[in-house]
């Protein structure tokens, strides 16, 4: 692992960069991401640490996409965003057509802020709207109202953003199909270029999970979640949104280029607390401890890595299949052969036949892809391609 930074710096060609901003004004009731509420006083020190890490990580690369994720990146002052962007540009070329995204909470932005952000070269905005129902927003612990979410979209348009994503969460406790349909229609009326939909998932200790265990909220209903998802598929298709990945829909030409890097198994660099990277067959992650991260770069360390693993050829193949199946176009046996020198059906023929027999996979235009039912039961498909030591 000693020469890993050198491997980063020797990369040629384009690559993607993810920057994790682990600060929130308030922790949401469903959130299991690495983020901290009440630590905004540490943002300035964090920006300095992030700049030091970028100096070590991105020099020598050309960036095709940049993604500010969190947490709530829109808690950064525009001067701090400018500092980070200036550092990036000083270290390496950024493609003139690069997709540069920032996530934002509707309750943290106004038109003036977004106008400055747009002038910094950030050309894609991802709004964590989550719902257009005020009751649902309160349940989720969001700090904005439905009216403020709509207002944030208008702010973004007035500021010059022509590439807008909206995140929504479905299958909330007690959420009816009619309520979900109303939210979807409301979002379509706002005409974002991209829409991401995620079912509410809980790991066990989030406030919503605790409330469910206490009987204060109704339990999650997987059958209703499936109905929500299928309703979204039909409604969004009727309004011109292409369903290009299990959880993502876009107007033509507005598919998220940064996330396509992940789904296509391409290399990316992650900087910041808990950020992951995938380079030259290695996957690694920084420490998830904010104080440890700050201290590492405050003390002159050249790394904040928590772990680093080499991905075996067998696992790389399995991940290429699994990630490729997340895409609506599926996987091409020819592409697998060209990347891995492997006959896809020769290696996974039994799995493909069994899943096709269950109605979860189909072959279309020489590609193998999930069926509509398969998209609902993706995990039932994916685990079958994992090496034995990784399968659960």
């Amino acid at each position: 692992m000693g020469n890993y930074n050198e491997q980063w710096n020797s990369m040629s060609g384009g690559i993607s960069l993810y920057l994790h901003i682990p600060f929130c004004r308030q922790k949401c009731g469903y959130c299991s991401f690495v983020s901290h509420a009440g630590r905004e006083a540490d943002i300035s020190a964090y920006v300095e640490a992030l700049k030091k890490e970028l100096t070590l990580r991105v020099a020598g690369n050309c960036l095709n996409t940049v993604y500010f994720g969190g947490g709530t990146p829109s808690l950064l002052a525009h001067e701090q965003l400018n500092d980070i962007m200036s550092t990036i540009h000083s270290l390496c070329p950024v493609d003139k057509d690069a997709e540069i995204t920032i996530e934002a909470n509707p309750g943290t932005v106004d038109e003036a802020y977004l106008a400055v952000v747009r002038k910094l070269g950030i050309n894609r905005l991802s709004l964590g709207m989550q719902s257009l129902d005020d009751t649902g927003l309160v349940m989720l612990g969001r700090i904005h109202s439905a009216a403020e979410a709509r207002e944030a979209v208008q702010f973004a348009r007035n500021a010059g953003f022509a590439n807008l994503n909206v995140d929504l969460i479905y299958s909330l406790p007690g959420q009816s199909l009619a309520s979900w349909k109303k939210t979807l229609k409301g979002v379509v009326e706002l005409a974002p270029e991209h829409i991401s939909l995620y079912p509410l998932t809980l790991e066990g200790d989030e406030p919503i999970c605790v409330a469910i265990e206490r009987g204060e909220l109704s339990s999650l209903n997987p059958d209703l979640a499936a109905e929500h998802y299928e309703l979204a598929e039909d409604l969004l298709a009727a309004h011109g949104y292409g369903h290009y990945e299990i959880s993502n829909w876009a107007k033509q030409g507005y598919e998220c280029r940064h996330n396509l890097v992940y789904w296509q198994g391409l290399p990316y660099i992650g900087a910041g607390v808990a950020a992951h990277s995938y380079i030259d067959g290695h996957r690694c992650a920084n420490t998830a401890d904010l104080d440890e991260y700050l201290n590492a770069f405050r003390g002159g360390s050249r790394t904040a890595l928590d772990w680093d693993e080499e991905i075996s050829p067998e696992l790389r193949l399995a991940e290429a299949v699994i990630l490729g199946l997340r895409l609506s176009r599926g996987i091409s046996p020819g592409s697998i052969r060209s990347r891995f020198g492997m006959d896809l059906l020769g290696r996974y023929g039994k799995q493909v036949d069994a899943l096709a027999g269950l109605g979860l996979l189909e072959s279309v235009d020489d590609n193998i892809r999930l069926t509509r039912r398969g998209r609902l039961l993706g995990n039932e498909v994916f685990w079958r391609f994992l090496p034995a030591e990784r399968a659960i």
Side-chain angles (χ1 to χ4, degrees):
M1 195 170 74
N3 67 346
Y4 203 55
N5 284 328
E6 295 172 11
Q7 292 178 22
W8 254 312
N9 293 337
S10 68
M11 289 294 295
S12 60
I15 198 167
S16 290
L17 173 65
Y18 173 82
L19 303 107
H20 190 66
I21 310 300
F23 302 97
C24 289
R25 193 154 290 165
Q26 174 178 295
K27 191 82 169 176
C28 296
Y30 58 90
C31 182
S32 59
F33 294 118
V34 177
S35 61
H36 300 272
R39 295 200 58 174
E40 292 177 50
D42 291 308
I43 291 179
S44 293
Y46 187 79
V47 169
E48 293 305 310
L50 194 60
K51 287 162 53 184
K52 289 179 182 178
E53 185 181 10
L54 288 170
T55 300
L56 298 169
R57 295 288 172 87
V58 303
N61 293 287
C62 175
L63 299 180
N64 294 328
T65 72
V66 179
Y67 195 105
F68 288 85
T72 308
S74 52
L75 287 181
L76 269 60
H78 59 77
E79 295 89 351
Q80 292 166 328
L81 282 171
N82 181 51
D83 202 6
I84 295 170
M85 290 297 298
S86 296
T87 298
I88 291 170
H89 282 286
S90 73
L91 292 169
C92 62
V94 178
D95 188 275
K96 64 181 179 64
D97 296 319
E99 176 193 87
I100 305 178
T101 302
I102 186 169
E103 294 180 348
N105 185 320
T108 64
V109 295
D110 58 23
E111 186 174 325
Y113 176 85
L114 291 177
V116 175
V117 168
R118 182 67 190 88
K119 288 177 182 176
L120 295 178
I122 297 172
N123 53 28
R124 183 174 184 272
L125 181 68
S126 181
L127 282 175
M129 187 175 290
Q130 312 311 359
S131 179
L132 282 178
D133 175 75
D134 284 328
T135 300
L137 288 169
V138 170
M139 179 194 304
L140 292 169
R142 302 297 288 174
I143 64 172
H144 66 272
S145 66
E148 288 171 323
R150 291 186 176 92
E151 188 177 42
V153 171
Q154 191 59 55
F155 289 157
R157 297 308 194 194
N158 293 346
F161 279 96
N163 191 353
L164 174 65
N165 172 63
V166 167
D167 279 353
L168 296 175
I169 297 176
Y170 63 93
S171 187
L172 307 183
Q175 184 181 40
S176 68
L177 203 59
S179 173
W180 173 233
K181 185 175 184 178
K182 183 178 179 181
T183 284
L184 283 173
K185 285 186 170 181
V187 167
V188 165
E189 289 172 1
L190 296 172
E193 285 68 32
H194 192 284
I195 300 174
S196 298
L197 308 180
Y198 303 103
L200 179 64
T201 55
L202 302 170
E203 296 186 1
D205 57 355
E206 301 89 349
I208 289 182
C209 190
V210 173
I212 290 172
E213 290 174 352
R214 291 175 177 170
E216 298 165 3
L217 293 173
S218 59
S219 297
L220 302 186
N221 184 332
D223 292 332
L224 187 57
E227 292 183 36
H228 285 180
Y229 184 82
E230 291 184 320
L231 171 63
E233 286 191 300
D234 294 337
L235 190 150
L236 294 179
H239 287 85
Y241 288 91
H243 191 185
Y244 73 99
E245 193 271 343
I246 284 181
S247 299
N248 289 276
W249 287 255
K251 296 288 189 179
Q252 187 172 0
Y254 288 95
E255 297 82 2
C256 180
R257 288 163 49 196
H258 184 87
N259 286 342
L260 281 167
V261 166
Y262 302 147
W263 299 320
Q264 295 178 104
L266 299 174
Y268 56 89
I269 298 169
V273 168
H276 288 59
S277 301
Y278 180 61
I279 303 283
D280 288 342
H282 278 256
R283 183 163 41 234
C284 64
N286 282 344
T287 176
D289 186 298
L290 175 57
D291 293 310
E292 188 175 316
Y293 180 85
L294 292 172
N295 290 333
F297 290 105
R298 190 180 289 126
S301 172
R302 292 181 59 82
T303 181
L305 285 182
D306 182 41
W307 55 265
D308 172 14
E309 66 172 342
E310 185 173 0
I311 308 303
S312 69
E314 185 178 13
L315 183 56
R316 290 178 73 178
L317 172 63
E319 290 182 350
V321 172
I322 292 168
L323 292 172
L325 285 173
R326 290 192 62 91
L327 296 170
S328 294
R329 66 172 182 247
I331 50 175
S332 159
S335 172
I336 294 296
R337 185 179 296 108
S338 126
R339 287 178 62 187
F340 298 97
M342 174 78 65
D343 176 40
L344 177 66
L345 294 179
R347 174 65 179 82
Y348 292 119
K350 289 183 179 179
Q351 290 93 324
V352 170
D353 287 345
L355 291 164
L358 293 170
L360 303 180
L361 287 182
E362 62 185 354
S363 180
V364 178
D365 297 329
D366 295 325
N367 277 15
I368 297 168
R369 70 183 193 184
L370 295 173
T371 63
R372 181 174 172 117
R373 182 166 179 263
R375 289 192 291 273
L376 290 172
L377 300 170
N379 288 338
E380 176 63 23
V381 174
F382 300 148
W383 72 264
R384 296 176 186 240
F385 294 96
L386 288 171
E389 67 273 13
R390 295 278 181 149
I392 298 175

